[in-house]
C-alpha cells in the first residue's frame, strides 16, 4: 500500500468517526420515537378493549350464573368477571349486572344473553333491562332492537313472543321481515312468533301502553322504572320531530299527556254516539282535538270532554291530537272502537222492511287458547259442558263470563275453567253465547271473546222406538 492509499484510508476512518456520534444519537432518537408510537398504539388498544368486554357482577352471593365460551366450555361465575365477544352468559337464579362504556344490562334469571363478535347482543330468553350509553343493537328471536343513546327499555323473550317496553327515549324495532316502527316512552310492542315473518304486518298498529301489571313486577321495580317514566323529556329532538313530520299516527296513548276515563282501545260499543272524557296530566296542554272536534277543557279540574262523537260504523278510528302552549302537536293517536250492532249492509230507503242481523265476533289468539272443547261454536246434547282455556301466566287478575266473575280462578295463573250446566240455568236448549272478558289490575279489559254452545235436545225414547219399527 502506497502513501496515497494509506492517507485515503485514514481519511475514510476519520470521516466515519466524525459521523458516528450523530448516527448513534439519531438512532437513539428514532428508537425512542418508535417505542413511543408502539406504546401509544398499545394504550389505544387497551382503551378500545375496555368497551369490547362487559364487567359481570352477581346480584348477591346466592346468584347462580355461568359463562359459556366459544368452544362450548362453561364456567360458573363466582362473583365478578368479564364477558368477551362471542361468549354467552346464563343466569339460573336472581339476576346479573353487566356493563361497559356503551351499555348497562340487568339480565334476569332464566336465562341467556350472547355478546356477538360484531358488538351486538342476542337475547335468547328471559328479561333484560337495558340502559343504552351509546347506540346498540340487540337481536331477539322475533325482533331486532336498534337503541339510541340515552334510551332505557326492558326486553322479554319467550317461545311465543318478543316484547319491548320503553321507559325513556325511543327505540326502533324490526321484525324478521324487516318491517319497522319506533317505540317511544310509555309504549310497548309485542311481536308474536306467527307475525314475525309477515311482510304485510304494520308494527305501528301493534303498539300499546305499558300495562299496569308489568309495572308491579319485581324485575321492573328493582330497575326503578318509575324514575324514568316520571322524567320529563324533550320531545323536540330530531328523531321525535321526524316521527311527527312524517305524518305517522302513533298507535298508543302517551300517559304523560292524558289518561282515559271511560274508554280503552279496541273496545266494543253498542251505541252510535259517545261523549269522550279524559283527564289532563300536564298543565301546558293548550288544546285537544278529537275526530276533528275541539275538546272543552276545564283547566281547574284538569279534564276535557268532546260530546256526540259518531261511532256508528262497524270499525271507528277516532284520531286525537294534543297541542302545547305554542300550538305545536306533541302527540297524536288512533283510538279504535268496534260497534257490535253495526249492520254489514247499507240499508237503502227501499229495503227498510228488511230485518237486520246481530253479529258476534269470535276472536282467536295464540295466547288465549281453548283447550276443551276445541270447536267454537260447539254442538252437544250434554247437560254439562266444561270450558277450559290457557292464558298468559302472571297477566290476568280476574275473568268474567257473561258478567259473572269466576270465583275459583287463581289470580295470575295460566289456566281457567267454566262449567255450563243446565241445572244452573246457564246452558239452555239451542244457542248459548258466552261473553268472556279477561282483566288486568284496576279493572282494565285486556282481551275479550265469545264462546258459543249449541245444545241440541236428545230424541225422545218414543221417537227412537218408532224409527226402529220403520227400519
Amino acid at each position: 500500500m502506497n502513501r496515497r492509499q494509506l492517507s485515503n484510508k485514514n481519511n475514510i476512518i476519520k470521516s466515519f468517526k466524525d459521523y458516528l456520534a450523530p448516527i448513534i444519537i439519531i438512532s437513539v432518537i428514532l428508537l425512542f420515537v418508535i417505542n413511543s408510537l408502539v406504546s401509544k398504539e398499545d394504550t389505544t388498544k387497551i382503551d378500545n378493549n375496555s368497551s369490547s368486554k362487559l364487567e359481570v357482577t352477581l346480584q348477591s352471593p346466592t346468584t347462580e350464573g355461568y359463562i359459556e365460551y366459544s368452544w362450548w366450555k362453561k364456567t360458573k361465575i363466582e362473583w365478578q368477571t368479564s364477558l368477551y365477544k362471542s361468549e354467552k352468559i346464563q343466569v339460573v337464579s336472581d339476576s346479573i349486572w353487566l356493563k361497559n362504556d356503551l351499555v348497562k344490562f340487568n339480565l334476569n334469571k332464566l336465562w341467556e344473553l350472547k355478546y356477538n363478535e360484531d358488538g351486538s347482543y342476542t337475547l335468547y330468553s328471559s328479561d333484560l333491562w337495558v340502559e343504552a350509553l351509546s347506540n346498540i343493537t340487540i337481536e331477539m328471536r322475533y325482533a331486532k332492537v336498534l337503541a339510541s343513546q340515552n334510551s332505557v327499555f326492558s326486553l322479554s323473550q319467550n317461545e311465543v313472543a318478543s316484547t319491548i317496553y320503553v321507559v325513556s327515549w325511543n327505540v326502533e324495532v324490526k321484525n324478521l321481515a324487516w318491517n319497522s316502527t319506533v317505540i317511544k316512552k310509555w309504549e310497548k310492542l309485542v311481536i308474536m312468533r306467527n307475525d314475525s315473518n309477515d311482510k304485510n304486518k304494520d308494527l305501528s298498529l301493534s303498539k300499546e301502553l305499558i300495562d299496569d301489571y308489568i309495572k308491579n313486577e319485581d324485575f321492573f321495580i328493582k330497575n326503578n322504572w318509575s324514575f324514568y317514566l316520571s322524567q320529563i323529556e324533550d320531545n323536540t329532538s330530531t328523531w321525535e320531530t321526524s316521527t311527527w313530520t312524517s305524518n305517522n299516527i302513533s298507535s298508543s296513548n302517551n300517559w304523560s299527556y292524558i289518561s282515559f276515563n271511560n274508554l280503552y282501545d279496541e273496545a266494543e260499543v253498542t251505541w252510535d254516539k259517545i261523549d269522550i272524557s279524559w283527564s289532563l296530566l300536564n298543565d301546558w296542554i293548550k288544546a285537544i282535538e278529537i275526530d276533528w272536534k275541539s275538546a272543552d277543557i276545564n283547566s281547574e279540574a284538569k279534564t276535557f270532554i268532546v260530546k256526540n262523537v259518531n261511532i256508528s260504523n262497524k270499525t271507528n278510528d277516532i284520531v286525537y291530537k294534543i297541542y302545547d302552549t305554542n300550538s305545536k302537536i306533541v302527540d297524536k293517536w288512533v283510538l279504535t272502537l268496534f260497534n257490535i250492532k253495526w249492520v254489514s249492509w247499507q240499508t237503502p230507503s227501499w229495503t227498510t222492511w228488511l230485518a237486520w242481523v246481530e253479529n258476534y265476533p269470535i276472536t282467536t289468539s295464540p295466547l288465549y287458547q281453548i283447550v276443551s272443547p276445541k270447536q267454537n261454536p260447539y254442538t252437544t246434547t250434554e247437560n254439562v259442558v266444561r270450558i277450559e282455556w290457557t292464558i298468559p301466566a302472571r297477566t290476568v287478575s280476574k275473568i268474567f263470563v257473561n258478567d259473572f266473575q269466576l270465583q275459583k280462578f287463581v289470580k295470575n295463573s295460566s289456566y281457567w275453567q267454566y262449567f255450563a250446566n243446565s241445572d244452573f240455568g246457564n246452558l239452555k236448549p239451542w244457542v248459548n253465547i258466552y261473553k268472556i272478558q279477561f282483566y288486568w289490575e284496576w279493572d282494565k279489559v285486556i282481551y275479550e271473546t265469545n264462546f258459543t254452545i249449541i245444545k241440541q235436545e236428545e230424541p225422545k225414547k218414543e221417537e227412537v222406538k218408532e224409527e226402529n219399527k220403520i227400519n
Side-chain angles (χ1 to χ4, degrees), residues 274-378:
I274 187 175
D275 295 342
I276 298 179
S277 60
W278 291 336
S279 299
L280 303 179
L281 300 182
N282 279 281
D283 295 332
W284 45 261
I285 296 177
K286 181 180 179 180
I288 299 175
E289 189 179 90
I290 299 178
D291 204 23
W292 292 275
K293 296 180 180 179
S294 296
D296 295 328
I297 296 179
N298 187 330
S299 300
E300 294 183 0
K302 293 187 178 181
T303 59
F304 68 93
I305 188 170
V306 177
K307 295 185 176 181
N308 296 322
V309 177
N310 183 24
I311 52 171
S312 59
N313 296 323
K314 181 179 181 181
T315 302
N316 302 272
D317 291 328
I318 300 172
V319 180
Y320 87 63
K321 301 176 183 178
I322 300 177
Y323 297 85
D324 62 13
T325 53
N326 296 320
S327 299
K328 179 182 177 181
I329 295 179
V330 295
D331 196 22
K332 52 185 175 180
W333 179 52
V334 176
L335 177 70
T336 301
L337 304 178
F338 299 106
N339 196 322
I340 61 175
K341 287 189 175 180
W342 184 81
V343 182
S344 61
W345 38 265
Q346 298 297 322
T347 309
S349 58
W350 53 272
T351 60
T352 54
W353 53 272
L354 293 175
W356 64 279
V357 62
E358 189 168 359
N359 178 264
Y360 296 91
I362 298 176
T363 57
T364 57
S365 168
L367 297 179
Y368 299 80
Q369 292 187 349
I370 306 174
V371 176
S372 175
K374 289 291 187 181
Q375 299 82 19
N376 188 12
Y378 175 65

Side-chain angles (χ1 to χ4, degrees), residues 189-207:
L189 175 65
V190 180
I191 299 181
M192 307 298 297
R193 177 175 55 195
N194 298 339
D195 297 330
S196 59
N197 285 296
D198 188 354
K199 296 181 179 179
N200 299 318
K201 181 70 174 180
D202 187 350
L203 296 181
S204 65
L205 299 179
S206 299
K207 293 190 291 185

Side-chain angles (χ1 to χ4, degrees), residues 110 123-128 139-143 155-163 191:
L110 304 176
L123 179 65
Y124 293 99
S125 60
S126 189
D127 305 313
L128 180 67
E139 302 275 356
M140 304 179 72
R141 292 194 182 188
Y142 314 119
L155 306 178
S156 181
Q157 180 63 66
N158 55 38
E159 295 289 340
V160 178
S162 299
T163 306
I191 299 181

Side-chain angles (χ1 to χ4, degrees), residues 128-149:
L128 180 67
W129 186 269
V130 184
E131 298 178 27
L133 308 179
S134 182
N135 297 344
I136 61 170
T137 300
I138 302 176
E139 302 275 356
M140 304 179 72
R141 292 194 182 188
Y142 314 119
K144 183 176 183 180
V145 180
L146 308 173
S148 61
Q149 184 179 4

Side-chain angles (χ1 to χ4, degrees), residues 60-114:
S60 68
T62 59
T63 302
E64 183 180 355
Y66 299 87
I67 290 181
E68 183 180 295
Y69 302 104
S70 56
W71 56 92
W72 304 104
K73 180 182 177 182
K74 186 185 294 185
T75 301
K76 185 176 182 180
I77 303 171
E78 297 300 334
W79 180 243
Q80 191 163 4
T81 184
S82 296
L83 182 74
Y84 292 89
K85 291 181 178 179
S86 74
E87 297 177 351
K88 294 180 183 178
I89 188 166
Q90 299 173 344
V91 185
V92 177
S93 63
D94 294 334
S95 65
I96 288 180
W97 293 302
L98 305 97
K99 69 175 183 177
N100 60 16
D101 297 337
L102 305 180
V103 69
K104 293 181 180 179
F105 288 136
N106 188 4
L107 180 61
N108 202 12
K109 60 185 177 181
L110 304 176
W111 164 269
E112 192 170 78
L113 175 73
K114 182 179 180 181

